[in-house]
Amino acid sequence: MNAPSTELGQELSAVELKATLDSLKSSYHTNPYPSWEERKVWLKNLSDVIFNNKMRIAQAISEDFGYRSPNDTLLAEVFPSLEGIRHALSHGKRWMKSQKKTASIWFKPASTELMPQPLGVIGVIVPWNYPLFLSVGPLTAALAAGNRCFIKMSEYTPRFSALLEELLTQALGRDVVQVVNGGPAVAAEFSKLPFDHLLFTGSTPVGKLVMKAASENLVPVTLELGGKSPAIVSPDCAKDPKRFHNAVARTLSGKCINAGQTCIAPDYMLVPKGTEQQVVQYAREIVRKRFPEGVNSKDFTGIVSDKHAGRLQRLIDEAEEKGAKVEYIMPPNPTSRKVPMTFLLNTPEDSMAMTEEIFGPVMPIIGYDNLNDAMEYIKARPRPLALYLFDDNKHTQTQVMQQTIAGGVCLNDTLFHIAQDHLPFGGVGDSGMGHYHGKFGFDTMSKLKPIFKQNKLNAMELLAPPYGKLFSIMTSLLTRKV
């Protein structure tokens, strides 16, 4: 089955990693401010190579996973990757223009501006769960901002990593982007490199290690982590059978795509007490219709490795041993690495299912007495990467938005906030720091250089020694009470 591999793709030593970074920095220094026409060609070439090879990409990722639905790849990776590039092509020329600003009245007729400048070389550490989107998304921002990029892929996706290296070399060349494959040792050395910015997507514990390593060179970091993202069904929503059914359906959509191996997948559901079995009933109806052959359905993705599948089974077994009621929404298949969609009812607080990010098709269902209790439950835990609320009442929506903090939110749906290129994507607290996507990614990977322009005619000499009466009058104005 699929175990971490370095057989395919490029794995470099610490010395080779540094030499590769140096070659990219040299390329940057020969052309530190690419024109929009140059950036446009990069982005267009990137778009073309993804579009022309989308089925090769889906096949390579499926082989890495043991089996992954091609439709999962097309919908959750190819589509948002191409849309992000399309968005950058539409707006990038405007993003890179210097922005005229106003000087303080005391410094007139001087003027100011804000000049977006490429940082240099951007490092990107990519996880295994969405290896195309989570490499191409940061790469798109880096290229739009005029940077070069060095990408470290996961050892769990060696076939796709080798294909990505081939495609990016073909589309952009090694003077613009380089790809390296490898395991934790390579990742550790990669994190130590003196990048101009480093973007990491992965778990919170590893994110802390990456940030610590990057701090040795004072490399700024964007951390896209994970956590336990809640889906809340409000009391009003649960009273309406049609709306309640839709809430379960949309939550399952977010949980079943890629078999729940998604950083913003709903990790647990909060529902009014007494409605837990209704959730199970709705879920069985929905899953039976969407996946008529259960885990063997062509649109149900496998777990990336035996190790990860084994962890999910231990998580289910431990919850049951501690008193949780296990509801298999699909029939289990012990011979397959496809873990069935599974609900856990009455899950103990100290179980793995409630203390760790699940990252698979397992969903605890938590009953609450009232909406305030649900919000307190969320606030008592680390801030999640995503929060999902199913409710149509604007007052309730505002109440939940104001009283909870999450990296991003969907109202009456799941996941789709990540595909909105006009919105930033990023976590908060344990779920990450910093943002990217669209203009936010462009700004993250640029130095927004503030520039003050003094006019030939100015009165600045009036503020120079020797200080006299006029200076006293001016300082009394400048230091007046607010």
Side-chain angles (χ1 to χ4, degrees):
M1 306 297 269
N2 181 23
S5 172
T6 58
E7 294 177 2
L8 300 170
Q10 184 184 10
E11 183 165 356
L12 303 180
S13 68
V15 172
E16 290 170 322
L17 288 169
K18 180 61 165 60
T20 303
L21 174 61
D22 289 343
S23 72
L24 286 166
K25 287 198 171 190
S26 176
S27 174
Y28 162 74
H29 288 305
T30 62
N31 184 12
Y33 199 90
S35 68
W36 172 244
E37 288 306 314
E38 292 172 286
R39 303 182 198 192
K40 183 178 177 181
V41 169
W42 289 346
L43 292 167
K44 189 67 170 64
N45 288 348
L46 179 60
S47 174
D48 287 348
V49 81
I50 294 171
F51 176 79
N52 293 335
N53 293 276
K54 56 187 174 183
M55 297 317 299
R56 287 183 70 195
I57 290 167
Q59 180 61 32
I61 294 175
S62 181
E63 290 175 5
D64 283 332
F65 271 66
Y67 176 76
R68 193 215 227 177
S69 166
N71 293 317
D72 278 4
T73 298
L74 293 174
L75 177 63
E77 298 224 59
V78 175
F79 160 64
S81 295
L82 292 176
E83 278 298 296
I85 298 168
R86 188 174 292 115
H87 184 78
L89 283 167
S90 298
H91 302 281
K93 186 175 183 179
R94 186 181 75 253
W95 295 343
M96 69 179 288
K97 288 183 177 178
S98 289
Q99 305 166 40
K100 300 298 182 184
K101 301 292 181 180
T102 302
S104 168
I105 190 172
W106 301 105
F107 299 94
K108 295 290 186 180
S111 62
T112 63
E113 66 179 80
L114 201 57
M115 174 186 170
Q117 187 167 16
L119 286 172
V121 181
I122 309 299
V124 180
I125 301 179
V126 183
W128 52 262
N129 59 328
Y130 289 95
L132 174 68
F133 181 47
L134 296 178
S135 56
V136 169
L139 176 59
T140 298
L143 296 178
N147 298 290
R148 296 355 180 237
C149 199
F150 194 5
I151 301 174
K152 190 272 169 190
M153 301 299 293
S154 169
E155 69 274 23
Y156 284 99
T157 55
R159 294 163 185 83
F160 173 73
S161 300
L163 176 60
L164 183 70
E165 181 182 8
E166 172 196 328
L167 297 180
L168 293 185
T169 300
Q170 171 189 328
L172 300 167
R174 293 180 181 277
D175 59 333
V176 174
V177 61
Q178 295 252 13
V179 177
V180 62
N181 191 31
V186 175
E189 294 299 331
F190 191 90
S191 302
K192 296 175 184 177
L193 294 173
F195 293 107
D196 298 292
H197 193 94
L198 178 60
L199 189 149
F200 168 81
T201 304
S203 70
T204 301
V206 177
K208 292 178 180 179
L209 297 176
V210 169
M211 187 174 182
K212 183 177 180 180
S215 71
E216 291 299 315
N217 289 304
L218 295 179
V219 174
V221 295
T222 298
L223 301 178
E224 302 300 346
L225 309 177
K228 301 188 72 62
S229 298
I232 312 168
V233 179
S234 75
D236 287 344
C237 180
K239 290 173 185 175
D240 182 336
K242 185 176 180 180
R243 296 297 295 142
F244 196 4
H245 186 279
N246 177 72
V248 176
R250 299 314 305 153
T251 301
L252 282 170
S253 292
K255 191 66 166 177
C256 288
I257 193 167
N258 206 33
Q261 298 165 109
T262 306
C263 59
I264 55 171
D267 202 84
Y268 62 97
M269 284 186 79
L270 287 163
V271 302
K273 280 184 178 177
T275 67
E276 295 91 341
Q277 285 298 331
Q278 186 65 60
V279 173
V280 174
Q281 180 183 328
Y282 285 149
R284 288 207 169 103
E285 295 170 4
I286 295 161
V287 167
R288 194 178 300 119
K289 181 178 180 181
R290 294 181 180 177
F291 307 103
E293 297 177 35
V295 294
N296 296 319
S297 297
K298 64 181 179 65
D299 287 321
F300 195 72
T301 290
I303 303 303
V304 72
S305 72
D306 292 335
K307 173 185 173 183
H308 291 79
R311 173 187 168 275
L312 289 170
Q313 190 57 56
R314 288 194 302 276
L315 183 147
I316 295 170
D317 294 342
E318 189 227 30
E320 187 171 30
E321 289 168 4
K322 290 190 171 186
K325 182 180 181 182
V326 178
E327 297 277 7
Y328 288 105
I329 309 302
M330 295 171 167
N333 183 349
T335 64
S336 170
R337 209 168 68 212
K338 289 186 172 184
V339 174
M341 187 64 228
T342 307
F343 283 0
L344 302 175
L345 277 59
N346 304 317
T347 314
E349 290 287 317
D350 63 347
S351 65
M352 289 170 59
M354 294 311 301
T355 57
E356 299 179 9
E357 183 179 7
I358 292 172
F359 229 68
V362 180
M363 178 84 82
I365 309 297
I366 310 297
Y368 65 82
D369 290 314
N370 57 65
L371 194 57
N372 283 331
D373 288 339
M375 288 189 289
E376 290 302 319
Y377 188 92
I378 294 167
K379 289 191 287 184
R381 287 155 177 77
R383 290 168 173 174
L385 184 56
L387 183 147
Y388 306 112
L389 171 65
F390 293 90
D391 186 273
D392 295 321
N393 184 281
K394 288 186 177 180
H395 173 75
T396 302
Q397 292 176 356
T398 300
Q399 180 186 13
V400 174
M401 293 305 96
Q402 291 180 348
Q403 295 189 27
T404 61
I405 296 180
V409 172
C410 282
L411 299 175
N412 296 313
D413 215 327
T414 58
L415 304 191
F416 287 148
H417 64 292
I418 197 174
Q420 312 309 309
D421 289 301
H422 290 284
L423 295 179
F425 176 73
V428 56
D430 279 22
S431 60
M433 64 174 65
H435 296 97
Y436 73 115
H437 287 197
K439 177 67 160 55
F440 301 92
F442 178 93
D443 287 347
T444 290
M445 298 185 190
S446 301
K447 165 57 183 173
L448 300 180
K449 181 185 287 184
I451 301 171
F452 176 86
K453 292 184 178 180
Q454 186 60 271
N455 195 280
K456 289 181 180 179
L457 300 175
N458 65 80
M460 289 303 101
E461 280 301 310
L462 295 177
L463 299 179
Y467 301 126
K469 186 174 181 181
L470 180 59
F471 180 81
S472 298
I473 294 171
M474 291 186 67
T475 53
S476 67
L477 290 171
L478 293 171
T479 61
R480 69 193 188 282
K481 184 178 180 181
V482 176

